[in-house]
Every structure is written in structure tokens, then in C-alpha cells.
Amino acid sequence: MIDTNDKTKQCAVNPTRGIIAGLAMLVTAGGLPVSSFAQTAEIPPSLVTPDKVESRLGTIEFKDGVPSKATAEKLYDNLDFTYAYRAFMDNLRGVSIQAFREGLESIGVKDNEVIVFEQLMDAKSLFLTANADTIYVMGGLDLSKGPVVLETPPKFLGAVQDAWFRWVIDLGAPGPDRGEGGKYLIVGPDYTGPLPEGGFFVARARTNSIVWFGRSFLENHNDPKPVVEGIKKFTKVYPFEVGGIGTPVADFLAGKTKLGKITPPPPTVFHDGSGKVMNTIPPNDWSFYEMLNEVVQKEPATSLDPELMGPIAAIGIVKGKPFAPDERMKKIMTEALAVANASSRTLFMSPRDPIWYYYPNSSWFNYLFETGYEFETPIPEITPEGVKPYPATGYRTMDARTNFFYGVTGITPGMAMRLTGIGSQYLLAMTDADKNHFDGAKTYKVTLPKGIPEENFWSLTLYDNMTRSMLDTPQRYPRAGSQSFPSPAAEAAADGSTTIYFGPTQPDGVKPGNWIQSDPKKGWFTILRLYSPTEPFFTKEWRLSEVELVK
């Protein structure tokens, strides 16, 4: 039995205890001062959380770093608010695609079918900043049962997007078919089977739900009928046949794949969208979260970056689980939704970054030149020696991303390039020459100098501030431009310049094609489109006027 009073025996049994005992004897004998062991280093001020902190949340209180019950509740409410806010700001784009799909479904357009706006789109259809200049062609694809083939017509301009509004591949002129028409094979994330060795432009998507859309230009700027006929002749959507076109017989003989039949694809179902009432715009009420949950439940759990999926999961939207927030969370999420929508609308209607504006001291802006289509790196310069890419910035321009997806449908590299004669370029104006937002009861004008830089055509379109869709007035097509369909072409003055008026009534002496009707009860904004832009636009040698108040 060990004598606990025997210091020597304690050291033998437990060396650590022995060391402590020895130090105690030294202290007792006066060998070391007691204060040498009682003293500790002070905590650096940078690590201290004060007992009280005044913040935008009010007073938050701690006792030696421990939050009070009231403070903990307040901070958790704020944390959940932040997650709900981010769910909107980061993922409005995914809900926008879901709204797009539901809008088509509302008028009977199913996946793998095609809608064509045979007489152009008008203001009855709610689409984010669509136009009334080109024939839209679009549809949804379901890749859950396997790859789908999309055949596109010649002279086409379009893109494929996934369920989170990410670019998959360009179609037509900016795509690999270069405007000659082609067969695109869109492959979903779960497909592991064989793919053809040739005959298709293959693109892999990270989601099973896909939307695609494109535009075809009018022939001679005034006749949609032959263009529509060409679209219906060449556009096809059908399931991919494993072992069919694109599969060498040698692969079958080697046991790599089965040998499929070479048969005509089933007929594609077409719908006419002109004049149809539909809503494809993402909501900003509670149904936003319900739509977001639909996207999460339909798509693979890994279809979105974990950092973006994290806030969604934090508010209870998790794949394979029911979305059932309690009353506390519903209240917080509803408030976060309102603030996020208000922030997004402010970014869209009142941009604050001066580098977004295309000309000095101008209201015309397009940030894609600075951010690129991924809102990360400026678009490349085009020089006589070739393309000069900018180095990656390594960060996302958050304001630009939010602005874009709040007001626009579709993003591709083709929207952000300095190539002449290909694609289209855009300038937006939310305010007049005096930086005031537009009043639908007033009359304004803008002048486009001689030599408008486009090889195909140009147009100006008015949009409803609230819906970000074409402004609905008795004029039906709120546009003016060089085309003579669906409204008369704008006429140039003797000096070659073209002036367009915006107002509730047609000004005296102004031709019908030089006037776009506004609604005296609504505000508006406008977009200039240049189809197949030319060099003076990119060099800024050509500059249109600011939108000036007339009366």
C-alpha cells in the first residue's frame, strides 16, 4: 500500500505527480515565488468580445464571451435571415429556369417539344427582356431517361442552359455549327453509356432538366413565314439511339456497344407561341422557395456547388427531405425574401458601379464587357494578332450576377464578345440624360447617328419596370428599328441620323416607325440591340445620344 505522505514513493509511482510535488517543495522552501505560477498572459484585445456591442441588430450582450439568451436568439434569427437572403440572391437563376419551364407547361408545351413564335413575341407573354424583332424558338429537355438530340436550323442564334441557368453550349452562329445548322447531343449527368464517335456536337450537362432557346432573323427584315417554314423543317428533338448514327460497326464487332437501328426520328411537336398569355418570370413571394425546392428535389444533389447549396440546406431545402419550415422560419424567410428582392431590383434599376457604363457620363451600360458571361473575368480583346484574354480575376462580381439574372433570360459567351459580324450586342438605359428614371407620362427622344454599327439590323425596345418584360400598350409591339415588321421601320433624317421618340402619344410630325408608345401609369427602361455589330461599336467611334426629356 502506498503512503501518500511519502513524496519519494509518489515520484516512483507517478513521475508527473513527482515533478509537481518537487516544485511544491521548492516553493515551500522559498526557492521560487508563488506569483511565478499564478500569473497568466493577458488575452490580446483583438480576441476579446466586449460585454456589450452596439450593432445594426441592436445591443448584443455577452458575459465573458458567452451570449445572453436574448442575444443568442437574435443572432440565430439573423443567421437564418442571412441564409434565406442568400438563397434568393445566389439562386434566383435556378428559379428563373424553373419559372421558364412552368410557363411553357402552362400553355401545353411539354419537354422535348418546341414552341415557335411564328408572328414574333408580343407583350402578352411575360419573358425577361425578350424582343419583338426575331422569331424565338425554345423548349425544355428531359435528360433523365438518356441523352437527347437537338437538331437546329441554319442561320440560327441560340444556347442551351441547365437547371441552374449555367451555359452548356451555344447553338447556331456562335456555336460549333457556325450557323450552318447541326445535330447537338445533350448528355445528362447520370448517363454512362456509349456515345457516338461522330455526327454530333456533344455537350454534357450537370442537370437533367434543360432549357434551350434561339432566334432566327426575318428574311428581308419583313417576312416571318419562310423563316418559320425553315425552322419547322430543320428543327428536331428526339431521344438518342445508342448504336445508331455515329457508331462504327467495328465498335459492335469489338463488343463495345450494341448496333442500333437507323430509322427516322419521331416527328417533333411544334406549338405557336405568338399572342399566348404565359408567365415565365421567377416569383418574389413564398412560391420562390417552393420553386427552389422543386429544382433541388429534381436534380442530382451534386448539381450545384456545395457553397451555394449550403444556405439552401440551412433553410430546410434538402434533396430527399420534405420542405416544412416552422412559423419562426417562415417569418424570417418571408422578410429575407422581401429584402433580397428589393436589393436585386435596386441593383437592376439603379446600377451603382461606374465601370458598367459604356461611355463616359452616360446612362447606357453593359457590364458584360467587364465581367464576362460568368461575371468573373473581362471578355477578351480582339486584335490583328488574335485573341488576347484577360487573366482570371478569381472572384465573382456579385452585383453584376444579380443584376443580370433579375432582368435577363439566357447567358452565353456569345453575349459577351468583341467579335464583329457575329451575335448581338446590347446597351441598357434605366435613366435619362439627367439621370432620372423614365416617366411613362412624359415624352423622350434618342438619336442614333449615321452609320449605325450593325450588319443585320438594329432595334430599341421598351420594357415594363415591374415585370422586366415588354411594355404592354395598344401598340402591342413596343419596338422601333430598321426592320419593317412587325411595325414600320424607323426613317432616317436627311443627315443620316435616326431619332426615336418614347411617349404616351405619337408626337406631331413623327413617323409611326420612329415612335414607341409608353404607358402614362408605368415606368419603363429601354435596350438597344445591334445584330451582327461592327467595329465602330466596339471602338466607341459611334455613340448614340442619351435619352433626353422632350416634355
Side-chain angles (χ1 to χ4, degrees):
M1 192 168 177
I2 297 174
D3 182 357
T4 55
N5 293 319
D6 188 333
K7 306 300 182 184
T8 304
K9 290 180 180 179
Q10 288 184 47
C11 292
V13 174
N14 189 325
T16 302
R17 184 182 293 175
I19 293 170
I20 295 172
L23 289 171
M25 286 188 289
L26 284 172
V27 172
T28 305
L32 291 172
V34 175
S35 61
S36 297
F37 299 94
Q39 187 176 15
T40 58
E42 290 187 7
I43 298 175
S46 61
L47 305 186
V48 173
T49 298
D51 291 344
K52 286 189 177 183
V53 177
E54 298 300 330
S55 73
R56 62 196 304 270
L57 302 177
T59 302
I60 50 180
E61 298 179 325
F62 293 83
K63 183 178 180 180
D64 191 29
V66 178
S68 68
K69 183 179 179 181
T71 288
E73 291 177 352
K74 185 182 297 185
L75 291 173
Y76 275 123
D77 284 352
N78 182 67
L79 189 61
D80 290 337
F81 176 93
T82 302
Y83 291 143
Y85 178 86
R86 281 198 57 194
F88 186 98
M89 300 295 282
D90 291 341
N91 301 296
L92 174 67
R93 51 197 181 138
V95 175
S96 186
I97 289 293
Q98 180 65 18
F100 182 101
R101 294 172 62 84
E102 291 187 12
L104 296 189
E105 290 170 4
S106 72
I107 59 167
V109 183
K110 301 175 183 177
D111 279 338
N112 301 352
E113 297 181 349
V114 180
I115 182 170
V116 184
F117 289 81
E118 298 184 19
Q119 294 293 314
L120 306 185
M121 190 184 295
D122 65 13
K124 300 301 180 186
S125 299
L126 296 179
F127 275 80
L128 293 175
T129 52
N131 67 65
D133 304 309
T134 59
I135 297 174
Y136 279 108
V137 188
M138 58 189 70
L141 304 180
D142 178 9
L143 306 181
S144 64
K145 299 178 180 64
V148 174
V149 178
L150 169 61
E151 295 189 21
T152 58
K155 300 179 182 179
F156 194 64
L157 183 68
V160 177
Q161 318 272 188
D162 76 3
W164 293 109
F165 221 141
R166 293 174 298 210
W167 173 75
V168 177
I169 192 170
D170 281 327
L171 309 171
D177 74 81
R178 301 296 298 276
E180 297 298 313
K183 294 181 179 181
Y184 290 81
L185 182 61
I186 314 301
V187 184
D190 303 323
Y191 182 75
T192 58
L195 293 172
E197 291 190 6
F200 298 88
F201 303 115
V202 180
R204 284 193 172 272
R206 288 177 278 178
T207 65
N208 286 311
S209 298
I210 296 294
V211 299
W212 65 276
F213 44 83
R215 295 162 291 169
S216 289
F217 301 148
L218 302 184
E219 289 191 4
N220 302 317
H221 302 319
N222 62 8
D223 190 359
K225 187 175 180 179
V227 181
V228 172
E229 290 174 351
I231 289 170
K232 290 185 174 181
K233 176 181 178 182
F234 290 104
T235 303
K236 296 180 177 65
V237 181
Y238 53 91
F240 169 62
E241 177 70 31
V242 175
I245 294 292
T247 301
V249 175
D251 283 0
F252 166 72
L253 296 175
K256 295 180 181 179
T257 182
K258 72 174 187 178
L259 206 58
K261 296 180 180 179
I262 307 299
T263 57
T268 298
V269 176
F270 288 93
H271 301 259
D272 183 7
S274 293
K276 295 288 178 64
V277 177
M278 70 186 88
N279 177 21
T280 69
I281 298 176
N284 51 265
D285 61 7
W286 184 259
S287 61
F288 172 88
Y289 293 119
E290 294 170 341
M291 278 194 182
L292 182 58
N293 183 55
E294 287 186 54
V295 180
V296 170
Q297 299 306 328
K298 285 194 305 184
E299 301 303 333
T302 55
S303 67
L304 191 64
D305 184 285
E307 290 291 331
L308 293 176
M309 194 67 86
I312 301 175
I315 60 173
I317 298 177
V318 179
K319 186 173 178 64
K321 295 184 179 181
F323 173 48
D326 59 22
E327 289 306 311
R328 170 188 166 274
M329 279 299 295
K330 283 185 178 179
K331 180 179 178 182
I332 291 171
M333 292 167 66
T334 299
E335 182 184 359
L337 188 72
V339 175
N341 175 69
S343 300
S344 301
R345 179 171 285 281
T346 298
L347 283 168
F348 186 70
M349 297 303 306
S350 301
R352 64 178 177 176
D353 193 332
I355 69 170
W356 289 10
Y357 293 91
Y358 199 61
Y359 307 108
N361 302 314
S362 176
S363 288
W364 294 104
F365 72 93
N366 183 338
Y367 41 75
L368 293 181
F369 290 97
E370 300 297 331
T371 69
Y373 78 100
E374 291 185 308
F375 314 102
E376 189 268 335
T377 299
I379 63 177
E381 295 286 349
I382 308 298
T383 72
E385 293 75 34
V387 177
K388 290 181 62 177
Y390 283 90
T393 63
Y395 61 83
R396 194 85 62 210
T397 307
M398 308 303 287
D399 286 1
R401 187 185 71 178
T402 298
N403 176 299
F404 187 90
F405 289 113
Y406 196 77
V408 182
T409 298
I411 183 66
T412 87
M415 297 177 72
M417 60 183 181
R418 292 184 170 91
L419 281 176
T420 59
I422 297 178
S424 52
Q425 286 297 339
Y426 313 83
L427 290 178
L428 294 82
M430 303 290 174
T431 57
D432 64 17
D434 298 317
K435 304 299 187 290
N436 295 315
H437 287 85
F438 299 114
D439 182 341
K442 297 179 180 179
T443 299
Y444 303 81
K445 69 175 182 178
V446 64
T447 298
L448 290 76
K450 180 181 179 180
I452 300 172
E454 47 79 17
E455 290 181 356
N456 203 316
F457 66 95
W458 65 269
S459 74
L460 283 158
T461 306
L462 288 199
Y463 295 95
D464 183 321
N465 283 348
M466 189 62 70
T467 65
R468 293 93 75 199
S469 298
M470 284 188 280
L471 187 66
D472 192 4
T473 69
Q475 200 175 43
R476 187 181 178 188
Y477 298 101
R479 49 82 62 191
S482 54
Q483 287 189 167
S484 56
F485 186 93
S487 53
E491 297 183 28
D495 63 358
S497 66
T498 304
T499 299
I500 304 298
Y501 289 81
F502 315 98
T505 57
Q506 185 176 340
D508 293 341
V510 173
K511 300 289 186 181
N514 293 64
W515 167 62
I516 307 177
Q517 187 174 25
S518 62
D519 182 340
K521 297 180 180 179
K522 299 193 72 64
W524 55 268
F525 63 93
T526 188
I527 297 179
L528 169 71
R529 287 177 169 86
L530 301 172
Y531 291 92
S532 301
T534 58
E535 192 68 17
F537 172 74
F538 298 109
T539 61
K540 303 182 183 179
E541 296 173 38
W542 181 90
R543 173 177 175 173
L544 76 168
S545 77
E546 299 302 296
V547 182
E548 301 171 349
L549 177 64
V550 176
K551 62 177 182 178

